[in-house]
Amino acid sequence: MSNVLAMKPVVRPGKSGGARAAVPGAVVPVGHVVEATDEADGGRREVAHVERELPPGGVSAYLAARKSGARSFVLWADPERRERLATLVTESASDGVCVYRVLGAGGETIGVLVREKALSGKGLRTRWTVAQPGCPEAVGFKGRIFWWFVWWLLLPLQTAIGVGSVLSGGGDVARGPRRIIWRAGREVPLEFLSDDNEVHVHAPWVDWRLAAALAALIPTFDSWLGTPWDDKRN
């Protein structure tokens, strides 16, 4: 598989919460898919089917834990769940700092993803760190400072539009800046483009499974303006 990919999460019909069909022997297809576009030829193909891995308490326990930032999901090679590609588990989630480990099919560590919420003690913007064994650590920040400044200046107007949208059932509110550019020294190995919700892999040393897990993880932190794929009650 090419190392130059654009990963994009796509929601397909079907449940994505880890539930199985009530009919014996039947399987509910995984509804959340990560697609990849090979930038060399522009061809798009499915690389992983993602679903939540629910704790013993089921969906309610997952939703309760995700409020603190905890996430857990599986990347399958096929919608029938025959081959596990990777698993994302939460190592810790507290005080706005969440640490996620991405494991391969054999339980080996593919990489570690760290999300530090804005104003949690290390900066004004949300900070994402991607660490892969034997590779340089990459750090990215959500949005550019200039565009955050512009967004905050327009916040009173956006608030008015938001209230009008709730009352009328229509309209739209501009989201805050969401683009993320990861840097490792002078290299830019990864990039998240907010317009297309795509994670672009620019460095050949980035494991595509780690990029796919990252592409599935970022949308789960959409604000109230978004629709996180893992925030479902089924």
Side-chain angles (χ1 to χ4, degrees):
M1 179 174 293
S2 169
N3 285 306
V4 184
L5 300 173
M7 301 285 181
K8 182 175 183 177
V10 179
V11 178
R12 298 286 175 79
K15 295 182 179 180
S16 58
R20 299 296 189 269
V23 179
V27 176
V28 176
V30 178
H32 193 74
V33 177
V34 175
E35 293 183 341
T37 298
D38 190 325
E39 295 182 353
D41 59 16
R44 180 172 291 276
R45 61 195 179 283
E46 296 176 355
V47 297
H49 298 257
V50 190
E51 72 173 339
R52 298 176 296 189
E53 187 158 65
L54 301 178
V59 175
S60 58
Y62 180 93
L63 294 179
R66 83 180 298 279
K67 294 178 181 178
S68 67
R71 303 288 190 272
S72 59
F73 51 77
V74 182
L75 283 75
W76 301 99
D78 56 274
E80 290 76 29
R81 308 173 180 86
R82 291 187 293 260
E83 179 184 355
R84 182 185 292 248
L85 296 173
T87 307
L88 181 142
V89 298
T90 300
E91 287 198 342
S92 61
S94 62
D95 299 324
V97 179
C98 303
V99 181
Y100 310 97
R101 186 171 295 271
V102 182
L103 307 173
E108 73 282 5
T109 296
I110 297 175
V112 175
L113 308 174
V114 180
R115 179 183 185 270
E116 298 168 82
K117 189 178 180 181
L119 304 176
S120 63
K122 287 193 176 181
L124 299 176
R125 296 175 292 168
T126 297
R127 171 185 170 122
W128 286 88
T129 303
V130 178
Q132 188 176 312
C135 299
E137 184 177 88
V139 178
F141 294 90
K142 181 180 178 181
R144 293 177 59 185
I145 293 179
F146 172 78
W147 291 115
W148 274 115
F149 178 73
V150 172
W151 189 84
W152 280 109
L153 285 178
L154 297 176
L155 183 60
L157 176 61
Q158 295 297 331
T159 301
I161 294 176
V163 172
S165 298
V166 172
L167 296 177
S168 65
D172 196 9
V173 180
R175 294 187 183 185
R178 299 170 63 230
R179 184 183 181 186
I180 306 170
I181 299 176
W182 282 268
R183 301 186 186 278
R186 296 185 178 181
E187 192 174 11
V188 178
L190 291 159
E191 181 180 8
F192 172 71
L193 300 181
S194 57
D195 290 343
D196 299 317
N197 281 326
E198 290 184 341
V199 171
H200 285 230
V201 182
H202 299 305
W205 48 263
V206 175
D207 193 307
W208 69 269
R209 295 170 298 175
L210 187 61
L214 185 62
L217 177 63
I218 291 176
T220 68
F221 286 96
D222 273 350
S223 67
W224 62 275
L225 297 174
T227 53
W229 68 268
D230 73 319
D231 190 12
K232 309 291 183 182
R233 295 193 173 277
N234 58 1

